Amino acid sequence: MVLRGRICMLAFLMAFGPEFASSSPGGEAQTAAKKDAHVDKAEFGKMPDGTVIEAFTLYNTQGASAKVITYGATLTELHVPDRNGKIGDVVLGFDNLEGYVQGPHPYFGATIGRYGNRIAKGKFTLDGKEYQLATNNGPNSLHGGPTGFDKRVWKAEPIEVKDGSAVKFTYLSKDGEENFPGNLTASVTYTLTNSNEIKLEYFAETDKDTVVNLTNHSYFNLSGDGSGNILKYILYLNADKYTPVDSTLIPTGEIASVENTPLDFRKPTEIGLHIGEIKGIGGYDHNFVVNGKAGTLRIAARVTDPASGRQIEVWTTEPGVQFYSAIGLDGSIKGIGGVAYQKYSAICLETQHYPDSPNRPNFPSAELKPGTKFHSETIYKFSAK
């Protein structure tokens, strides 16, 4: 993996002649530049206070690329081939910083923390002390509060990896930020492998007992460039059970079987086949209990778009995965290329600890203590059939 500047490439072309260059943006020079895995760095925009937000574009040897910015450690673009080799952007996002900063948006591509998903009434008790968080989702706290990790500026640096290219993002969440206890040092490393995988590896350490639940909130549209919807996508979930919720999407504490429910994706099933049977919220927004031992890397989900042939396999060490069918989109948000993002235009598969785990002793613990490390890994494996 090499961090390269445009000046070096220009010098190469001038030295070795026009046969290596092309006068058009889509010519041989661009194709040649994609042969080696590397990272490009550029300015993405500036915050209102003048802070520069950087964009790191990762390339692999197969022509795939991923762009991640320091605002929210956010994945803004992910270009992978379809069955015909055509490259398309398979995540929803914006092509300018203003889209992320100024307007409300549903966490497109962001790193979520300090606690991903919901905490009931914004309250939890740790070491005998009750903590009150902001309630930014009805009566509950969602995704770390109004100014979670998705709205923070992270530090970033490319790192050397044997397979593909990678960038490590780090952020210090200070004691009391969004009223969470402890100074928490968090990192997430994005790696684009040469086999078209996006690997996300998270670490966190604290100096005081706290709770942690880190995830990524990418919206995947396998048709490419925000086109179409997911209702014909074929979904497999490696989950025999799920966590039922109340009317505010807080788990009841029960862990129930998916059998004979519209949540049974143990056999590959069209997403739209039973979506109309989900009452109250208009689609899927459910936490599934991933089969197998938490802490070990195992498959959680597989999604296939029959039209493009693109497929994602999601592998994770996390105990759960949230399947969200983009029910909150309504066409009012326009993303890259001016595309209006409609309901069901993407699928989110957020690997995680269960919602409201700090208040549910029977759920896998989300507590982190000083002297221990939070570590989690999720891999999105792309292919085309």
Side-chain angles (χ1 to χ4, degrees), residues 1-4 36-39 56 58-59 156-169 189-194 199 201:
M1 189 273 293
V2 184
L3 179 62
R4 296 195 284 189
D36 297 324
H38 67 283
V39 176
F56 293 82
L58 291 70
Y59 296 93
E157 60 175 353
I159 60 173
E160 294 286 340
V161 291
K162 293 181 179 179
D163 181 15
S165 57
V167 178
K168 181 180 181 179
F169 293 79
T189 299
Y190 284 82
T191 302
L192 176 63
T193 74
N194 292 326
K199 291 185 177 181
E201 190 169 20

Side-chain angles (χ1 to χ4, degrees), residues 11 47 58-59 62 67 72 163 172 208 262 270 274 328 336 348:
M47 298 289 288
L58 291 70
Y59 296 93
Q62 304 304 308
K67 181 182 286 186
D163 181 15
L172 171 61
K208 185 187 296 185
E270 272 192 11
H274 299 292
I336 293 175
C348 301

Side-chain angles (χ1 to χ4, degrees), residues 16 48 56 127 134 149 161 176 196 226 316-317 350 357-358 361:
F16 290 93
F56 293 82
D127 300 329
F149 287 9
V161 291
N196 291 345
T316 189
T317 58
E350 306 154 63
S357 288

Side-chain angles (χ1 to χ4, degrees), residues 118 230-231 233 235 237 242 249 261-265 269-288 322-328 343-344 346-350:
R118 295 172 177 84
I230 65 170
L231 298 180
Y233 288 10
L235 175 64
L237 290 173
Y242 75 107
L249 301 183
T261 76
L263 306 177
D264 191 350
F265 288 91
T269 304
E270 272 192 11
I271 289 175
L273 187 62
H274 299 292
I275 201 167
E277 300 170 32
I278 304 294
K279 305 301 180 184
I281 60 173
Y284 293 101
D285 191 6
H286 297 77
N287 173 65
F288 291 80
Q322 188 87 5
F323 165 32
Y324 177 60
S325 58
I327 54 181
K343 185 177 182 179
Y344 306 140
I347 179 173
C348 301
L349 292 163
E350 306 154 63

Side-chain angles (χ1 to χ4, degrees), residues 120-135:
K121 300 180 180 178
K123 295 181 180 181
F124 66 93
T125 299
L126 196 59
D127 300 329
K129 181 179 178 180
E130 183 179 86
Y131 292 89
Q132 177 64 64
L133 312 174
T135 52

